[in-house]
Amino acid sequence: MSIGHTLLGLLESGPRHGYDLKRAFDEKFGHDRPLHYGQVYSTMSRLLKNGLVEVDGIEAGGGPERKRYAITEAGITDVQQWLATPEKPEPYLQSTLYTKVVLALLTGRDAGDILDTQRAEHLRMMRILTDRKRKGDLADQLICDHALFHLEADLRWLELTAARLGKLAQEVRA
């Protein structure tokens, strides 16, 4: 995820302080990985330097000055271009799990055990996500669906690999 673009997008609704941006980010996108304050301020500094935001006001208080940031026209254009650019699909061609299966076969270990252990871990995570989805709002349901669909694809791969394990063992040991 592009933190900078996300913060710019949040600024399109109006100027905000760094604290407000962090809170909005965490509420909408950071359920599992909240943003650190330092990351917000370093990102805002970079966006300011690049002309994508401007300081809309400075408030003095009991602590450090609070800057209020506003998105610039260049920032709006940048967000629009980012939103219009499709994400590169991740083909997962260098899978750690595949590497473990092949190494198990090469070293005489039981690759089936690795697949079974991984299947159990995937199913455990699917149960957690399904429970979270059941209790969550629409945004949480959609993000859980995304993760669940990826886990389902992984499970299909695990089953296919288990079915082909004998032939794979012959090929990697040849």
Side-chain angles (χ1 to χ4, degrees):
M1 173 190 310
S2 169
I3 303 297
H5 287 111
T6 305
L7 294 177
L8 284 172
L10 290 171
L11 281 172
E12 281 202 56
S13 64
R16 298 182 191 215
H17 296 98
Y19 174 83
D20 297 327
L21 284 168
K22 181 208 176 335
R23 196 175 65 229
F25 181 96
D26 289 351
E27 181 182 299
K28 299 290 184 197
F29 310 107
H31 293 280
D32 296 315
R33 266 196 242 166
L35 205 54
H36 296 286
Y37 284 106
Q39 194 171 10
V40 171
Y41 293 109
S42 65
T43 301
M44 295 312 296
S45 178
R46 183 176 41 81
L47 295 173
L48 186 63
K49 184 178 112 190
N50 293 335
L52 301 176
V53 299
E54 61 191 8
V55 175
D56 186 57
I58 298 176
E59 298 171 12
E65 293 179 332
R66 292 185 55 193
K67 292 180 185 174
R68 189 175 54 245
Y69 297 96
I71 192 168
T72 62
E73 286 299 319
I76 292 170
T77 300
D78 197 58
V79 170
Q80 180 58 37
Q81 289 172 346
W82 179 67
L83 291 172
T85 304
E87 290 298 306
K88 180 180 177 193
E90 294 292 332
Y92 301 106
L93 294 177
Q94 292 298 322
S95 165
T96 303
L97 183 56
Y98 174 77
T99 302
K100 287 181 175 186
V101 168
V102 170
L103 285 175
L105 293 172
L106 287 172
T107 60
R109 291 178 174 90
D110 190 344
D113 284 348
I114 291 171
L115 294 172
D116 289 342
T117 300
Q118 192 63 50
R119 183 181 305 105
E121 184 61 19
H122 270 60
L123 291 171
R124 184 187 72 76
M125 181 56 68
M126 290 176 83
R127 284 189 295 275
I128 290 168
L129 288 168
T130 300
D131 186 53
R132 177 176 163 180
K133 177 182 165 181
R134 193 176 7 257
K135 296 173 184 173
D137 61 9
L138 181 58
D140 216 29
Q141 291 170 12
L142 289 171
I143 199 70
C144 287
D145 280 339
H146 186 264
L148 285 164
F149 293 151
H150 281 275
L151 290 169
E152 287 174 8
D154 287 349
L155 282 175
R156 287 194 312 269
W157 181 86
L158 289 166
E159 294 302 322
L160 179 65
T161 303
R164 295 178 173 175
L165 212 46
K167 184 171 179 157
L168 181 61
Q170 290 174 347
E171 285 188 20
V172 298
R173 292 177 184 153

